[in-house]
Amino acid sequence: MRRDFGISIWGDGNFVIEGDDVRINHANRPSLLEITQEIRAREYRGPILLRFPHLIQKQIDTLFDTFAAARDALGYRGNFYALFPLKVNQFPNFVDQLLSVSQSHAYGLEAGSKAELIIAMAKTPIGAPITVNGFKDKEMISLIYIAAKSGHNITVTIEGLAELETIIEVDRVFNEGSENPATPHIGMRVRLHSIGIGAWAKSGGYGSKFGLTSTELLEAYDTLVHHGLADHFSMIHFHIGSQLSEINPLKKALREAGNIYASLKQRGATSLKAINIGGGLAVEYAQHPFSHERNYSLKEFANDVVFLMQEIARSKGVEEPDIYTESGRFIAASHAVLIAPVLELFSQEYHESGLRLKAKNPPLIEELHALYQSIRRNNAKEYLHDALDHMESLLTLFDLGYIDLEDRSNTEILVNLIIKKAILLLKNEDTDELKRLESRIQERYLVNFSIFQSLPDLWGLGQHFPVMPISHLSEKPTSPASIWDITCDSDGEIAYRVDHPLYLHDVDVAQEEYFLAFFLTGAYQEVLGMQHNLFTHPTEAVVTFDAEGRHRLEDVRDAQNLMDVLDDLKYDTEAIKKGLTQQITGSVLMQKQEKEKTLEKLTLYLSENSYLKTIQAIVSPKEKG
Ligand SMILES: *Cc1c(COP(=O)(O)O)cnc(C)c1O
């Protein structure tokens, strides 16, 4: 894994390593580094989120093609439709590209709130499906009726009996006495006893927040019949949770929902014709072998769905349902790559040049120095053990007051150097001891980004995201690495893990830029991201390719500037600006000319964003937390 950063596991052929670079495996194959430098040439200095619409297209085409193949193979008669659940990514630069690359398919949007519904109504082409899930009030249901009256192919999913009452009420308001009554399609979310597996499994099962029990389903259906709305009832919906790590829970849910569909058909629900299987299709985020996050492929997933629906329909003598999916993570994750500059490597303090040896050193330090100078491959292990032993003794001597701070610093540096040398000499031995030692000499990479803003699932759920540098890739990375973000929060760290180690290059970032790329960040991370410490959504750019295969940067959008961030928090920014200006003009510490210059500087700084532009202003690691 060291050299290819697991790209063959998580990369899905989207990126390739060539020489020093990681390239986009598409069209003219630009490297991530050259794209990054093009954007930085426009004076952007913080993290950059790159969007690749061709990867959205690839996922959508793959989804439709795979289901088409499964339906063809089995002679399945129901249709296939897909929707994008907006909660996974509502950013306009994403949604606009999504709709533009999916035009050849019956692809629509799923909404779970009023604001998402407005996006769906405004952006979905007339005729493509819209579904509306989640809890709704009268106003939201009215919006759905407005969409239906505007000609949209929209389905409202009933999550509870109270909602059904509201639908009946709103239907009367919109349609009573109308010459052209229009009613949305009605779906029912079913409460399954099947549950998913994985960190996001809470959406399914009897304890789930959502859906109707069998008793409620029957009651809801009877109510629809009673109010003359049964003709609009067309869909059964379920969603058993995101990032399903195993396929079996899905199969169980499909059998359960399929039989509910068949029973309702047999009861006379003639317009019922679709089953909506929600999302859950997993993404492979693993960067190491043996840590795979899913045990199935899309092909297996599609085959299972089609096969089970056909089997149930046949055995119950009902028509094969249309299949809807609402996979979001699978569609969106790969399209976004976050590039963040490394600002500093912290433990470069452990250099030989940092030694402060005295004319006369404590004997154990002399001993350490000798070990360092004479360590060889054949004695490496023995010397390493001696060094660790001496360190324990020296630290005890320090606690007891027998050696001073300079001695202690020399101890730290020498032991660190000895461990590094030993690991290098013993690199063919893959023992647990060496791995543990590596974590002791790990390098801390300070990176110009916020984990809370850009990888919130890493912070909140421990979700791994593949990470690799975008240069130096022909060199073997040797530094066991942990990654620190620039928030003042000790949780803003990706710790070094002995079981899943990350190695990066030992680069002098004062001499040369070094960037890390975080992959598969296109699903959920952007809107879930928090403005902890007031770090905002990073600068973003859309990378498209023209007919000749040349790449283009579109819609470059800068991160919010400082004043806009404060404005979002409802600060009176005019008053803040005025106050700061008065402080400068009223200061007795500056002359008129200096005041004018300072005011100019202030104006410039206020127009910039929170991310760091240079590395000078950085706190030392000890102050963090
Ligand atoms: C969240 C959600 C989805 C998307 O799930 P993914 O795991 O991202 O595919 C689909 N449908 C519903 C109802 C959801 O709540």
Side-chain angles (χ1 to χ4, degrees):
M1 125 79 187
R2 229 177 237 236
R3 208 169 277 193
D4 81 345
F5 293 90
I7 204 168
S8 57
I9 304 170
W10 56 264
D12 200 25
N14 296 336
F15 301 93
V16 284
I17 296 175
E18 257 175 36
D20 275 337
D21 295 318
V22 51
R23 295 184 172 279
I24 293 139
N25 195 14
H26 186 70
N28 71 346
R29 301 167 25 112
S31 71
L32 286 177
L33 184 64
E34 69 185 279
I35 292 175
T36 303
Q37 281 166 343
E38 276 167 41
I39 297 174
R40 286 170 66 86
R42 306 182 188 184
E43 293 300 308
Y44 294 106
R45 282 293 172 270
I48 300 164
L49 186 92
L50 298 177
R51 300 189 194 277
F52 296 102
H54 74 279
L55 294 179
I56 310 175
Q57 172 147 32
K58 173 184 168 186
Q59 293 307 94
I60 293 176
D61 289 348
T62 307
L63 182 71
F64 276 90
D65 292 350
T66 311
F67 269 93
R71 284 164 57 231
D72 284 350
L74 292 169
Y76 192 79
R77 264 169 278 163
N79 288 315
F80 175 75
Y81 302 93
L83 303 128
F84 183 78
L86 280 167
K87 77 161 189 282
V88 178
N89 196 327
Q90 306 93 336
F91 273 70
N93 264 351
F94 169 77
V95 173
D96 289 341
Q97 295 294 337
L98 175 84
L99 291 170
S100 130
V101 301
S102 62
Q103 278 166 4
S104 62
H105 303 290
Y107 197 67
L109 296 174
E110 183 265 355
S113 68
K114 288 181 204 173
E116 289 182 356
L117 176 56
I118 299 297
I119 299 175
M121 287 165 67
K123 299 279 182 182
T124 313
I126 296 285
I130 299 177
T131 58
V132 189
N133 302 317
F135 300 109
K136 304 160 206 77
D137 62 3
K138 200 165 153 185
E139 198 171 300
M140 188 159 171
I141 292 167
S142 301
L143 282 169
I144 295 169
Y145 268 79
I146 291 173
K149 290 238 165 192
S150 312
H152 270 303
N153 168 13
I154 188 166
T155 304
V156 52
T157 306
I158 301 170
E159 309 267 354
L161 288 178
E163 233 167 66
L164 181 54
E165 296 302 324
T166 316
I167 289 174
I168 291 162
E169 194 187 326
V170 173
D171 191 75
R172 212 173 287 134
V173 174
F174 275 80
N175 285 332
E176 211 164 52
S178 165
E179 304 214 332
N180 300 303
T183 298
H185 305 297
I186 295 173
M188 290 192 205
R189 178 138 174 188
V190 297
R191 185 172 292 241
L192 303 176
H193 65 76
S194 321
I195 49 172
I197 287 186
W200 290 269
K202 288 189 284 287
S203 307
Y206 253 68
S208 154
K209 232 164 95 178
F210 302 107
L212 305 169
T213 63
S214 325
T215 317
E216 289 168 333
L217 270 176
L218 292 172
E219 202 179 323
Y221 180 64
D222 291 347
T223 309
L224 286 176
V225 172
H226 179 77
H227 287 88
L229 288 172
D231 284 353
H232 304 285
F233 171 44
S234 66
M235 184 185 284
I236 288 289
H237 177 240
F238 70 88
H239 169 66
I240 59 170
S242 203
Q243 186 68 358
L244 293 171
S245 53
E246 295 177 16
I247 193 80
N248 276 350
L250 177 78
K251 289 201 209 173
K252 271 195 184 155
L254 285 165
R255 284 201 191 90
E256 208 181 331
N259 278 301
I260 292 172
Y261 161 84
S263 298
L264 286 168
K265 290 290 285 181
Q266 287 169 335
R267 244 183 117 76
T270 46
S271 57
L272 175 58
K273 63 177 179 15
I275 192 145
N276 180 339
I277 64 171
L281 191 50
V283 163
E284 188 54 85
Y285 295 96
Q287 206 165 1
H288 293 81
F290 315 116
S291 59
H292 287 265
E293 297 207 12
R294 56 167 196 205
N295 75 347
Y296 57 90
S297 63
L298 172 60
K299 186 159 176 260
E300 180 178 352
F301 183 96
N303 285 343
D304 283 347
V305 173
V306 174
F307 174 80
L308 287 170
M309 287 306 113
Q310 185 170 62
E311 188 183 60
I312 292 167
R314 282 191 180 160
S315 72
K316 292 289 170 70
V318 296
E319 62 192 289
E320 292 166 1
D322 291 345
I323 295 164
Y324 284 71
T325 78
E326 297 173 336
S327 273
R329 185 186 298 277
F330 176 83
I331 299 296
S334 63
H335 97 280
V337 179
L338 181 81
I339 311 272
V342 173
L343 294 170
E344 195 173 319
L345 277 61
F346 276 137
S347 54
Q348 276 178 347
E349 57 199 270
Y350 294 133
H351 259 214
E352 225 176 318
S353 59
L355 285 172
R356 296 161 187 268
L357 293 172
K358 306 169 182 165
K360 193 165 170 13
N361 297 291
L364 279 175
I365 293 204
E366 294 290 353
E367 180 80 1
L368 276 180
H369 198 219
L371 288 173
Y372 173 53
Q373 281 173 332
S374 53
I375 187 167
R376 301 284 177 270
R377 189 169 153 62
N378 58 354
N379 62 23
K381 236 185 203 163
E382 186 187 334
Y383 281 21
L384 174 68
H385 292 153
D386 288 350
L388 292 172
D389 198 43
H390 290 353
M391 183 179 71
E392 288 304 318
S393 309
L394 282 159
L395 290 177
T396 308
L397 288 174
F398 179 79
D399 290 347
L400 297 174
Y402 291 109
I403 65 171
D404 65 14
L405 198 54
E406 279 192 345
D407 298 326
R408 181 172 159 157
S409 157
N410 290 333
T411 307
E412 285 170 5
I413 295 174
L414 283 169
V415 172
N416 205 275
L417 291 171
I418 290 169
I419 294 176
K420 266 193 193 154
K421 221 168 174 182
I423 287 174
L424 207 66
L425 292 168
L426 297 170
K427 64 177 180 290
N428 296 326
E429 291 187 31
D430 212 15
T431 63
D432 283 350
E433 179 185 17
L434 282 182
K435 281 193 188 144
R436 273 199 312 278
L437 284 170
E438 279 191 337
S439 82
R440 281 174 84 144
I441 54 153
Q442 67 183 271
E443 184 63 77
R444 295 177 176 89
Y445 287 75
L446 182 71
V447 181
N448 199 1
F449 82 132
S450 157
I451 287 173
F452 301 89
Q453 171 58 238
S454 292
L455 304 174
D457 278 345
L458 188 143
W459 169 74
L461 296 158
Q463 175 65 52
H464 176 81
F465 292 90
V467 53
M468 68 186 284
I470 61 172
S471 60
H472 288 264
L473 291 167
S474 60
E475 297 160 33
K476 182 173 173 176
T478 50
S479 304
S482 60
I483 292 171
W484 291 38
D485 74 8
I486 54 167
T487 67
C488 298
D489 189 312
S490 49
D491 273 355
E493 183 194 357
I494 306 176
Y496 177 75
R497 286 179 54 179
V498 173
D499 53 342
H500 292 152
L502 172 70
Y503 298 94
L504 296 174
H505 300 95
D506 189 12
V507 178
D508 182 353
V509 291
Q511 299 301 317
E512 177 193 6
E513 293 177 317
Y514 189 63
F515 300 98
L516 298 185
F518 297 87
F519 294 86
L520 301 173
T521 62
Y524 294 101
Q525 304 317 296
E526 292 183 57
V527 158
L528 280 178
M530 295 155 262
Q531 302 201 348
H532 195 20
N533 268 162
L534 300 186
F535 290 108
T536 57
H537 188 269
T539 296
E540 63 174 275
V542 177
V543 185
T544 58
F545 295 88
D546 66 16
E548 275 77 52
R550 285 185 304 252
H551 70 276
R552 264 199 311 244
L553 294 176
E554 290 179 39
D555 290 310
V556 180
R557 294 190 188 175
D558 196 2
Q560 267 191 316
N561 71 38
L562 302 182
M563 280 295 127
D564 287 347
V565 176
L566 298 184
D567 192 52
D568 276 1
L569 294 181
K570 306 278 184 264
Y571 276 96
D572 182 345
T573 47
E574 283 311 311
I576 287 181
K577 267 188 227 162
K578 213 168 135 197
L580 293 177
T581 306
Q582 277 167 359
Q583 283 174 20
I584 291 168
T585 50
S587 169
V588 295
L589 303 172
M590 287 182 279
Q591 299 301 321
K592 184 161 180 287
Q593 222 179 1
E594 196 184 350
K595 284 180 183 175
E596 276 163 18
K597 278 212 182 109
T598 308
L599 282 173
E600 269 169 35
K601 275 188 196 156
L602 179 72
T603 308
L604 174 68
Y605 295 159
L606 294 184
S607 73
E608 289 172 347
N609 66 52
S610 282
Y611 293 100
L612 301 181
K613 304 201 84 172
T614 52
I615 59 171
Q616 271 94 41
I618 291 167
V619 295
S620 88
K622 282 99 198 167
E623 286 170 44
K624 248 178 106 95

